[in-house]
C-alpha cells in the first residue's frame, strides 16, 4: 500500500479516520429507467437512444416498473425501510454527457432509508455500518476520449448509457479504516449479486464508488473536513486510495495545515490521489420535484410481493451452512461468495456422506485445477456427481488423498469425469489378508508404545495403526479389511 508521507505509527495512531461511501449501482433491467431503450452495456455509440433519454423537447419519462422492484429488493436486502411514498426530483447541472441539463434523481424523499450492513472492526467484532438512504436515479452518458486521432482537441459523446436505471446507496460516516471500507464494499456487492438486481461489474461501471474520507484526533467530538475520492475502479484500489487519503490528511494536519473540502482522483499507477476540483460548500443543484413524474407509491402489498423474490442472503446462508455442514467460518465465507458457488456446494453436499470433504475438494483440489487450466466450473471435466463420489471414496479411506489427487489430475488431463477415471484406473487394492497382516505385525513391532496404550484401554489408537499400514501399503490396503484386521491383531495382544 502506498503512503503519502512517511508517518510514524505513533502519529498515525493519534488520529481517527472516518469514511462514508456513496455507491452507484446499475440495475439489470431489460430497458432503461424512463424509456423503452435497451439497457445494455456497450453497443455502437448513440444507438440505444430515443427522444426521452436524449432529452428532446416534449418527450416524457415513464417509470420502469422493474427498476422499482429491483430498487426495493436491493433496499430490503440491506435492511432499509421503504418509504411508501417517494418523489423524483430534478438535479440540475450542466455537463456534456447529460443532454437534458438535469438528472432525474430522488432528493428529500428517497425510496428507502435506515439500513445497515455488518462488517468486522479492528478487533474482529461485527459492527453495523449504517446506510443513510437508497434512492433511484438515472445514469448519464459518457464522454469518450480514447480511440480518436483528434481527441486532444475534441470530446466525443456516447449517450447509450443515458437513462440507465441506478440506485445510489449512501452510507453513514461509520467506517473507520480502509479495511472496513473493503469489507463493506465486498459485502454490499455480494448481497446485490445474490438479489440479482445488478451484475456489479466495476470494469463496465455497473458498480461505482466514491469514498468520503476525513480524519480527526482520537477522542474529538467533531468530524474533520472530508475529501471525496471519486471513481476508483476496483475494491483493492479503493482500499489503497482511502489509506493514501487518510495518511495524506494526517500529514497535512501534522504540518499545521488544514484539509480542504474537495474532490480528488485516484491515480493507480502512481498510487496517490490528486485534487480534481474544490467542492462548493453548498451544492447548488436547485433540486425541485420532477413535474413529469408522479410521486412513486410502493404500498405494503407490492412490497410484500417483491419480498417473496428475496433469496437467503450471504450472511444468513453462511451461518446456516456452518451449522448444517460443520464448515469453518473461512470455508463457509468462500463457498458463499457467490450464490452460484453456494448452490453448487449445497447440491453436492446434500448427496454426500461428508459435506466437509466436499467443501475441501471443491475449495482446494477443484479450484486449483480450474485455475491452472484457466477454465470456469461450467467447463470442468469433473462434475458435481464426480465430486460427491470422490469425497465419499476419500472419506471412507477407499482412496488415499494422494490417489485422489492423481485421479483428479488424470480427469483434468484427459477431460473425463471422476467416475469414469476411477472405474478405469481404480487404484489396486491389497485385499490379501496375509499381506495386510504381515504389514500390521511390522507396524505393531515398530511402535510398541502405541501398542501398549491400546492394551491399556485407549482403543482410539487403532486409527494410528490403520494410518501407518495405509502409508506402508502406499494407500493400497483395502480399508475395510485393514480396519477389521488391525482391531483383531491389537485385541489379540491382550490387555495390560
Ligand atoms: P455532502 O453534502 O457533501 O454530499 P453528505 O452529508 O451528504 O455530504 O454525505 C455524503 C457522504 O459523505 C456520506 O456517505 C457520508 O457518510 C459521508 N460523510 C459525511 N461527513 C463525513 C466526514 N466528516 N468524514 C467522512 N465521511 C463523511
Ligand atoms: Zn431512450
Ligand atoms: Mg449529499
Amino acid at each position: 500500500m502506498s503512503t503519502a508521507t512517511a508517518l510514524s505509527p505513533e502519529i498515525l495512531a493519534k488520529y481517527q479516520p472516518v469514511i462514508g461511501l456513496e455507491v452507484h449501482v446499475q440495475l439489470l433491467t431489460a430497458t432503461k429507467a424512463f424509456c423503452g431503450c435497451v439497457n445494455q452495456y456497450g453497443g455502437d455509440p448513440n444507438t440505444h437512444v430515443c427522444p426521452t433519454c436524449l432529452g428532446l423537447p416534449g418527450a416524457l419519462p415513464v417509470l420502469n416498473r422493474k427498476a422499482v422492484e429491483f430498487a426495493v429488493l436491493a433496499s430490503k436486502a440491506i435492511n432499509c425501510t421503504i418509504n411508501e411514498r417517494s418523489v423524483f426530483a430534478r438535479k440540475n447541472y450542466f455537463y456534456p454527457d447529460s443532454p437534458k441539463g438535469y438528472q432525474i434523481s430522488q432528493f428529500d424523499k428517497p425510496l428507502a432509508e435506515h439500513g445497515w450492513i455488518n462488517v468486522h472492526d479492528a478487533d474482529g467484532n461485527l459492527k453495523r455500518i449504517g446506510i443513510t438512504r437508497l434512492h433511484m436515479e438515472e445514469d448519464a452518458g459518457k464522454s469518450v476520449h480514447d480511440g480518436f486521432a483528434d481527441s486532444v482537441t475534441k470530446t466525443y459523446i456516447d449517450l447509450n448509457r443515458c437513462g440507465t436505471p441506478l440506485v445510489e446507496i449512501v452510507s453513514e460516516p461509520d467506517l473507520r479504516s480502509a479495511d472496513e471500507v473493503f469489507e463493506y464494499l465486498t459485502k454490499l456487492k455480494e448481497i446485490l449479486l445474490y438479489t440479482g438486481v445488478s451484475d456489479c461489474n466495476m470494469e463496465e461501471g455497473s458498480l461505482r464508488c466514491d469514498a468520503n474520507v476525513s480524519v480527526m484526533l482520537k477522542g474529538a467530538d467533531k468530524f474533520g473536513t472530508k475529501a471525496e475520492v471519486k471513481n476508483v475502479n476496483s475494491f483493492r484500489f479503493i482500499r489503497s486510495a482511502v489509506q493514501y487519503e487518510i495518511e495524506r490528511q494526517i500529514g497535512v494536519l501534522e504540518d499545521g495545515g488544514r484539509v480542504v473540502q474537495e474532490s480528488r482522483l485516484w491515480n493507480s499507477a502512481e498510487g496517490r490521489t490528486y485534487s480534481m476540483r474544490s467542492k462548493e460548500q453548498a451544492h447548488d443543484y436547485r433540486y425541485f420535484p420532477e413535474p413529469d413524474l408522479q410521486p412513486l407509491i410502493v404500498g405494503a402489498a407490492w412490497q410484500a410481493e417483491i419480498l417473496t423474490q428475496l433469496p437467503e442472503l450471504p450472511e444468513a446462508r453462511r451461518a446456516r451452512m456452518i451449522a448444517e455442514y460443520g464448515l469453518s467460518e473461512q470455508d463457509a465465507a468462500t463457498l458463499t461468495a457467490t450464490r452460484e458457488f453456494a448452490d453448487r456446494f449445497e447440491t453436492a453436499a446434500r448427496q454426500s456422506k461428508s459435506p466437509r470433504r466436499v467443501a475441501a475438494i471443491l475449495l482446494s483440489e477443484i479450484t486449483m485445477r480450474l485455475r491452472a487450466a484457466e477454465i470456469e466450473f461450467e467447463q470442468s471435466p469433473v462434475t458435481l456427481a464426480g465430486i460427491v463420489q470422490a469425497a465419499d471414496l476419500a472419506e471412507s479411506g477407499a482412496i488415499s488423498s494422494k490417489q485422489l489427487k492423481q485421479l483428479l489430475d488424470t480427469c483434468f488431463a484427459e477431460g473425463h469425469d471422476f467416475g469414469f477415471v476411477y472405474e478405469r484406473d481404480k487404484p489396486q487394492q491389497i485385499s490379501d489378508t496375509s499381506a495386510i497382516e504381515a504389514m500390521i505385525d511390522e507396524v505393531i513391532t515398530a511402535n510398541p508404545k502405541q501398542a501398549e496404550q491400546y492394551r491399556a484401554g485407549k482403543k482410539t489408537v487403532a486409527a494410528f495403526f490403520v494410518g501407518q499400514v495405509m502409508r506402508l501399503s502406499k494407500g493400497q490396503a483395502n480399508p475395510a479389511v485393514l480396519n477389521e484386521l488391525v482391531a483383531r491383531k491389537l485385541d489379540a495382544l491382550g490387555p495390560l
Side-chain angles (χ1 to χ4, degrees):
M1 211 170 278
S2 48
T3 48
T5 45
L7 294 167
S8 70
E10 291 72 30
I11 289 178
L12 291 175
K14 277 165 51 185
Y15 290 89
Q16 177 60 66
V18 172
I19 306 115
L21 300 179
E22 296 166 289
V23 176
H24 285 92
V25 181
Q26 289 181 342
L27 301 176
L28 274 178
T29 52
T31 55
K32 291 186 180 179
F34 302 110
C35 63
C37 289
V38 63
N39 171 28
Q40 209 173 71
Y41 178 77
D44 287 337
N46 303 305
T47 53
H48 304 158
V49 291
C50 73
T52 300
C53 56
L54 290 176
L56 300 188
L60 292 172
V62 177
L63 179 59
N64 181 335
R65 184 183 175 88
K66 194 71 194 173
V68 176
E69 292 184 356
F70 277 172
V72 170
L73 204 54
S75 303
K76 299 266 187 196
I78 52 177
N79 307 297
C80 284
T81 307
I82 305 291
N83 291 323
E84 283 209 8
R85 181 176 182 279
S86 61
V87 175
F88 286 98
R90 288 190 182 178
K91 181 179 182 180
N92 298 282
Y93 64 93
F94 172 76
Y95 205 71
D97 62 15
S98 176
K100 290 203 296 279
Y102 60 85
Q103 175 192 29
I104 302 179
S105 182
Q106 294 185 312
F107 182 50
D108 50 352
K109 298 263 188 318
L111 175 70
E113 293 174 278
H114 311 306
W116 76 84
I117 289 178
N118 289 328
V119 306
H120 292 88
D121 65 16
D123 301 324
N125 301 313
L126 275 184
K127 71 167 190 183
R128 273 187 189 185
I129 305 302
I131 288 168
T132 317
R133 57 192 272 147
L134 178 151
H135 66 254
M136 298 184 70
E137 58 186 30
E138 59 177 340
D139 213 340
K142 277 184 199 170
S143 300
V144 185
H145 300 101
D146 293 341
F148 296 98
D150 55 355
S151 64
V152 178
T153 53
K154 283 189 181 142
T155 293
Y156 288 79
I157 306 285
D158 176 6
L159 297 176
N160 281 351
R161 199 176 70 175
C162 259
T164 296
L166 290 180
V167 291
E168 177 173 347
I169 299 166
V170 183
S171 90
E172 291 289 307
D174 287 347
L175 295 155
R176 292 290 173 269
S177 69
D179 284 338
E180 289 184 15
V181 166
F182 186 84
E183 186 178 341
Y184 171 91
L185 288 170
T186 305
K187 293 226 165 122
L188 177 61
K189 178 176 166 181
E190 254 176 37
I191 292 168
L192 293 172
L193 285 175
Y194 265 61
T195 61
V197 303
S198 176
D199 60 17
C200 298
N201 183 333
M202 290 194 85
E203 273 118 66
E204 296 184 356
S206 49
L207 188 153
R208 312 198 286 273
C209 174
D210 301 334
N212 299 274
V213 181
S214 69
V215 299
M216 61 180 175
L217 282 172
K218 278 189 181 152
D221 52 12
K222 200 163 159 282
F223 289 161
T225 305
K226 68 177 155 60
E228 184 188 31
V229 185
K230 296 196 80 78
N231 277 340
V232 192
N233 64 5
S234 84
F235 290 172
R236 280 183 33 236
F237 284 155
I238 290 173
R239 179 163 57 186
S240 303
V242 166
Q243 185 61 30
Y244 174 89
E245 191 54 26
I246 289 168
E247 296 182 22
R248 184 190 69 82
Q249 292 183 12
I250 293 175
V252 167
L253 296 178
E254 283 290 309
D255 288 345
R258 294 175 61 187
V259 174
V260 197
Q261 177 155 349
E262 62 182 354
S263 295
R264 298 180 68 87
L265 278 183
W266 169 249
N267 181 318
S268 59
E270 295 176 28
R272 54 164 293 182
T273 62
Y274 281 97
S275 179
M276 184 169 88
R277 59 177 137 90
S278 79
K279 199 165 179 173
E280 332 78 291
Q281 278 306 112
H283 301 291
D284 201 3
Y285 291 127
R286 309 222 167 213
Y287 281 99
F288 62 85
E290 164 62 66
D292 292 337
L293 288 165
Q294 300 275 0
L296 170 60
I297 309 295
V298 187
W302 194 14
Q303 285 185 45
E305 190 188 312
I306 297 169
L307 202 55
T308 62
Q309 297 161 38
L310 194 67
E312 186 182 27
L313 293 170
E315 203 166 80
R317 191 162 190 180
R318 258 192 287 280
R320 179 179 60 73
M321 280 175 35
I322 288 169
E324 196 170 329
Y325 306 113
L327 301 175
S328 69
E329 290 260 354
Q330 179 60 49
D331 285 359
T334 315
L335 288 166
T336 52
T338 68
R339 200 169 149 186
E340 293 68 33
F341 199 24
D343 287 347
R344 186 178 301 151
F345 164 73
E346 289 209 79
T347 304
R350 292 195 169 125
Q351 294 165 30
S352 164
K353 294 183 199 73
S354 176
R356 285 172 58 172
R357 207 174 273 271
V358 169
I361 291 176
L362 248 180
L363 288 173
S364 61
E365 303 301 337
I366 299 294
T367 300
M368 200 175 78
R369 287 172 177 78
L370 291 175
R371 221 170 266 161
E374 294 180 2
I375 54 174
E376 298 298 317
F377 187 81
E378 286 66 31
Q379 286 99 48
S380 170
V382 179
T383 62
L384 283 184
I387 290 170
V388 171
Q389 189 180 4
D392 288 348
L393 286 166
E395 185 65 18
S396 71
I399 55 172
S400 67
S401 59
K402 191 169 157 203
Q403 287 163 342
L404 171 69
K405 286 175 200 291
Q406 284 166 347
L407 288 165
L408 289 173
D409 280 341
T410 308
C411 293
F412 274 78
E414 297 179 358
H416 287 126
D417 202 353
F418 184 85
F420 175 86
V421 173
Y422 174 74
E423 284 308 321
R424 190 192 62 192
D425 302 353
K426 200 179 303 197
Q428 283 304 309
Q429 281 201 338
I430 306 171
S431 301
D432 169 8
T433 50
S434 60
I436 294 178
E437 277 180 281
M439 286 189 279
I440 296 173
D441 288 338
E442 188 183 330
V443 164
I444 290 179
T445 314
N447 298 284
K449 217 159 83 212
Q450 282 81 353
E452 249 175 54
Q453 287 172 352
Y454 186 92
R455 294 172 67 198
K458 197 173 168 204
K459 300 288 177 193
T460 50
V461 178
F464 165 79
F465 288 101
V466 170
Q468 292 297 308
V469 176
M470 263 303 178
R471 185 173 302 174
L472 197 61
S473 72
K474 299 193 166 54
Q476 292 179 356
N478 178 315
V481 177
L482 173 60
N483 273 313
E484 196 193 312
L485 287 179
V486 162
R488 201 187 299 161
K489 283 266 180 195
L490 288 171
D491 286 336
L493 297 174
L496 258 190

